[in-house]
Every structure is written in C-alpha cells, then in structure tokens.
Amino acid sequence: MIAQGGGEFRNMHRCAGEWITLHSMRVFSDQLVNKYNFSIPEQDWTVPMNQFPTYPNSKALLFKE
C-alpha cells in the first residue's frame, strides 16, 4: 500500500495522514484476524467466465461465530 505517492517522506511527497492510516489498518487487521472466529459455510466456488467483474457465485460467505 502506498498512500498518495511513493516519494521520500523527508521531501514531503507522502500523504500527511499516512502514519495514522497505517496504524489504523494494523489495529483493524489484528482485531479481524486474532479476536474473531469465522466459519466458512458450504458454497458454490464456480466462477462464471461470461461476466465482468467475475467472482465466485456465492461471493465468499463468512459467518462470525
């Protein structure tokens, strides 16, 4: 992830909110991965190739336990 450009931070070519955004994403990801239990129900994973954008027929369902 590169927020609003990939230049050197010292040269002011980066997003002013980059650090808070990265911290927020780390906290959210940690909560999602380590604090919740999910189950994956039986699904239809076939992908139709005659539509765009294409995605599995069941659209990847998750249930929070």
Side-chain angles (χ1 to χ4, degrees):
M1 182 196 89
I2 300 174
Q4 278 190 337
E8 292 283 331
F9 182 74
R10 292 182 199 102
N11 295 333
M12 303 303 287
H13 289 284
R14 300 290 279 271
C15 176
E18 177 179 3
W19 306 113
I20 189 68
T21 302
L22 290 174
H23 177 72
S24 298
M25 290 177 65
R26 282 187 198 106
V27 170
F28 173 75
S29 298
D30 178 59
Q31 291 289 318
L32 188 64
V33 172
N34 296 315
K35 306 293 185 199
Y36 293 105
N37 291 319
F38 293 99
S39 63
I40 300 174
E42 192 65 34
Q43 300 179 55
D44 179 7
W45 289 103
T46 57
V47 178
M49 294 300 186
N50 61 350
Q51 67 184 26
F52 184 82
T54 190
Y55 43 83
N57 286 330
S58 293
K59 299 182 184 170
L61 302 172
L62 291 176
F63 292 128
K64 183 179 169 198
E65 294 180 350

